[in-house]
Structures are given as structure tokens and as C-alpha cells.
Amino acid sequence: MDWLSTLINGLLLGGLYALFGLGLALVFGVMRVVNLAHGEFIVLGAYAGFFLVGWFGAVPVWAMLIPVVLIGYAFGWLLQATLLNRAVRSGNVLTPLVLTFGLSVLLRNGMVEVFGADSRAVDAGALGSASMDLFGISVGVYPVLMLLLALALFASLQWVLRHTGFGRTVRATADFPDVVRLMGVKPERVFCQVMGLAAAFAMGAGYLLAQRTLFTPFSGMERMLVAFEVVIIGGLGSFWGAIAGGLVLGVAQLFGQRIDSNAGSLYSHLLFLVTLVFLPKGLAGGRA
């Protein structure tokens, strides 16, 4: 039963990890850009939720996810419109990489200056402490809801990209950015929408994380590493691969800690290394 409990909790943790990687997978799949500031987006979402909960204490904590996501979309859209589109137009793959690296450093130090370096967390209230019985094991209701939310978001995004006009425009822009211009589509505008969605997912995941654990302005690097490993294990550009990568990573981490309490995230990092060696295209094998 102890190992079954570890498996279940690992899957629940993996749902949150999958949300970390969703925005990163979306940006890479459409723009072929690795956003090194993705971890700082997650932390910004945690801070946004923390202050919104403090300012509007009468509003349920779960409802604050909506304004956090909207703030994330606006932030990502403006960032892409003002900075990242210039880097993408340069045609040099290193330019967006260096720009997002510099942005991550700027955001991290800016958060330290504005918010300080103290650890913070969001009190999830009664929902955060509620539990339910699953196969004879007591598990938290909140982690279960996060896993269900992750599955719903992945399914919704996949449906939108496959069955809507917006989705067809995004896929066409990802594959043939020069050709879609002839059809009256501006790739830069599509990139703004995609980065807006990616930042919304990242900041929403950061707010959910803030209700499970402490965070500081320096937490972004660790979250970025998790998101990157999720995307690589799942397969670059694959959304379902990303959720599979998150689940596998969460299980590997908790099983590793079960075997060796001092291991921390060692076994999940070893899994990442093994995947690079034996499955360089990830679990999805390069399929979107």
C-alpha cells in the first residue's frame, strides 16, 4: 500500500509538472523558440495570485486563478509584441535564446527588488486540507483537482488546435510562416497570441504551485528545469507527450525519494538523462 500511495501521489504531482511544461511545449512547437524565462513566468504567477488573494480576501481562492491567467495572457502578448517578435524576425536561433535568458535574469532580480527574498505561499483554505479515499488510500482533493485540470487543459488545447480556425492558423504559421503571409495572416500576431497562451498557462501553474509549496524569486530556475525535462521526456512539440512526461517525472521523483530520502530530485534527473540517451525524440517519438 505504501508503494501504491507513492505511485498515486507521483501521478498527482506529475499533473502539476505537466502544466509547467505545457506553455514551453506550445512556444517551441509554434515558434521553435526555447523560452528560458519560462520559470520566471511561473513564479510571477505565484506572486500575482499571492497579492490578489491578499487584496480580495472575500473571493474564493480557486476563483483567483481566472485573473491570474488573464494577467498572464496580457503579459505574454505584450512581451512578444514588444521584444520577442524582433528576435524571431532576426532569423538567428540564438537571438531569442539569449534574449529570454537575459529576460529571466532581469525578472528574477526585479522580483527580489520588489518583493524581497522571503519565502511565501498561498493558503488554499479548506480545499487545500480536504482529502478523499482512493483505493483505500487517503489523498488530497486539491492535487486530484489539479491533475484533472491539467488533463482538461491539454485536451482542450489539442481540440482547439485540431478543429478550429484559430488552431489551423497556428499550425499553418508554425509550418509555413512565409506562406501564410500570402493568405493575409500576420505571423507576428499569431506569435503574440501563442505567447499569451503560454504565459497564461505558466502563471496559472505558478499560482497552483503556490498553494502547495513555498516560493521565492529564485524558484524560477528549478521550475524551468522541471518544465524543460517534461518537454524533453515527452517529446519536443508534443502536447500529449508533455503530459506523459510530467506524470513520469512526478512518479520518478517520489519513487526516488521513497528509495533514498536524501535523493531529492536525483532520480527524476537520471530519468531525463536516460531518455536523452535512449529516446532522444521523447516518449511521443517526434509526433505532435
Side-chain angles (χ1 to χ4, degrees), residues 228-252:
F228 186 72
E229 289 180 345
V230 164
V231 172
I232 294 298
I233 292 174
L236 285 171
S238 171
F239 301 126
W240 288 116
I243 196 167
L247 296 177
V248 169
L249 200 66
V251 170

Side-chain angles (χ1 to χ4, degrees), residues 41-281:
F41 289 4
I42 294 173
V43 179
L44 278 175
Y47 275 109
F50 176 83
F51 286 108
L52 284 173
V53 169
W55 294 334
F56 304 98
V59 179
V61 173
W62 60 265
M64 286 302 173
L65 179 62
I66 298 174
V68 169
V69 167
L70 294 177
I71 292 170
Y73 183 87
F75 174 73
W77 199 98
L78 288 173
L79 182 65
Q80 183 70 34
T82 55
L83 287 178
L84 294 177
N85 272 338
R86 299 171 183 265
V88 173
R89 281 198 301 267
S90 70
N92 188 335
V93 295
L94 289 179
T95 303
L97 196 69
V98 173
L99 177 60
T100 55
F101 173 75
L103 182 63
S104 72
V105 175
L106 179 64
L107 289 174
R108 187 182 313 127
N109 287 278
M111 285 187 287
V112 173
E113 178 68 23
V114 175
F115 306 128
D118 296 336
S119 299
R120 308 188 190 210
V122 175
D123 184 5
L127 184 62
S129 58
S131 62
M132 60 184 292
D133 185 79
L134 187 63
F135 304 114
I137 298 171
S138 179
V139 298
V141 171
Y142 195 71
V144 172
L145 292 177
M146 280 196 287
L147 176 59
L148 294 177
L149 176 62
L151 293 173
L153 284 175
F154 275 85
S156 299
L157 181 61
Q158 189 77 1
W159 186 87
V160 167
L161 292 177
R162 294 292 181 185
H163 301 287
T164 67
F166 170 73
R168 287 189 288 271
T169 300
V170 169
R171 288 188 286 118
T173 303
D175 294 333
F176 309 104
D178 293 327
V179 175
V180 296
R181 291 184 187 275
L182 303 177
M183 310 301 293
V185 175
K186 294 183 178 180
E188 293 81 6
R189 182 172 297 175
V190 176
F191 292 160
C192 288
Q193 294 170 326
V194 168
M195 181 57 76
L197 287 174
F201 291 141
M203 291 184 66
Y207 176 59
L208 295 175
L209 173 70
Q211 298 173 58
R212 291 195 60 175
T213 186
L214 298 173
F215 64 92
T216 72
F218 303 103
S219 301
M221 186 174 297
E222 181 182 354
R223 308 308 169 201
M224 174 62 196
L225 178 60
V226 170
F228 186 72
E229 289 180 345
V230 164
V231 172
I232 294 298
I233 292 174
L236 285 171
S238 171
F239 301 126
W240 288 116
I243 196 167
L247 296 177
V248 169
L249 200 66
V251 170
Q253 179 175 329
L254 292 196
F255 265 76
Q257 292 175 353
R258 176 88 182 158
I259 296 170
D260 181 4
S261 59
N262 296 320
S265 301
L266 173 63
Y267 287 90
S268 59
H269 298 326
L270 288 176
L271 174 64
F272 170 64
L273 178 62
V274 170
T275 303
L276 282 178
V277 174
F278 295 102
L279 290 172
K281 292 185 177 181

